Amino acid sequence: MSAEIIRLLARIPETWNSGDAEGYAGLFTEDADYITFFGQHLEGRQAIEEAHRELFKLDIKLGGSGGAPLVKPLSDDVALVIVGGGSSVNGEPDPSRQSVITLTALRTPEGWRFASFQNTRVSTP
């Protein structure tokens, strides 16, 4: 389970950095819930693809994960995933863009997909 989910997780920066909105959205279930770090709630794969098609026109690239992801099985077909991440804008790393991302991985007939995504910006209280 964990190895398959880690491979799926690795496809996030791969599809993002190549500007592949369809491939990026394909990592999620048809009815996924996706919460951006701005708090925007995208509902479903199609909404994820449309929002990222526009976002990928900007020069934002995903960087290192900030450590090994935590994959916590909740059942044979569901796992909680927590991972750190960052991004660069116009080729410049931006520490203020560090995030903690929480995902729900779900085994589907298509293989493992993410059913939820929550991006929370790291900040000092």
Side-chain angles (χ1 to χ4, degrees):
M1 170 194 288
S2 291
E4 294 167 295
I5 294 170
I6 297 297
R7 284 192 294 275
L8 180 65
L9 193 59
R11 295 202 52 226
I12 288 178
E14 174 187 301
T15 54
W16 180 294
N17 291 341
S18 67
D20 181 2
E22 182 178 358
Y24 184 80
L27 304 176
F28 297 88
T29 60
E30 284 291 340
D31 63 347
D33 288 288
Y34 188 107
I35 312 296
T36 71
F37 73 88
F38 291 119
Q40 181 183 17
H41 181 189
L42 304 174
E43 297 181 61
R45 187 182 284 170
Q46 186 64 39
I48 295 167
E49 181 178 344
E50 289 170 8
H52 286 83
R53 188 172 311 284
E54 291 304 309
L55 183 60
F56 292 165
K57 292 178 182 177
L58 304 174
D59 190 16
I60 300 171
K61 302 296 181 192
L62 299 184
S65 67
L70 168 68
V71 177
K72 182 177 182 180
L74 302 177
S75 75
D76 290 343
D77 298 320
V78 180
L80 170 68
V81 181
I82 301 173
V83 64
S87 61
S88 62
V89 179
N90 298 321
E92 294 294 322
D94 184 349
S96 72
R97 297 179 61 85
Q98 291 296 316
S99 294
V100 175
I101 300 164
T102 306
L103 306 104
T104 305
L106 179 67
R107 189 189 318 261
T108 73
E110 299 174 286
W112 285 94
R113 297 292 183 270
F114 295 118
S116 71
F117 176 102
Q118 167 73 52
N119 186 350
T120 303
R121 198 55 58 147
V122 174
S123 64
T124 304

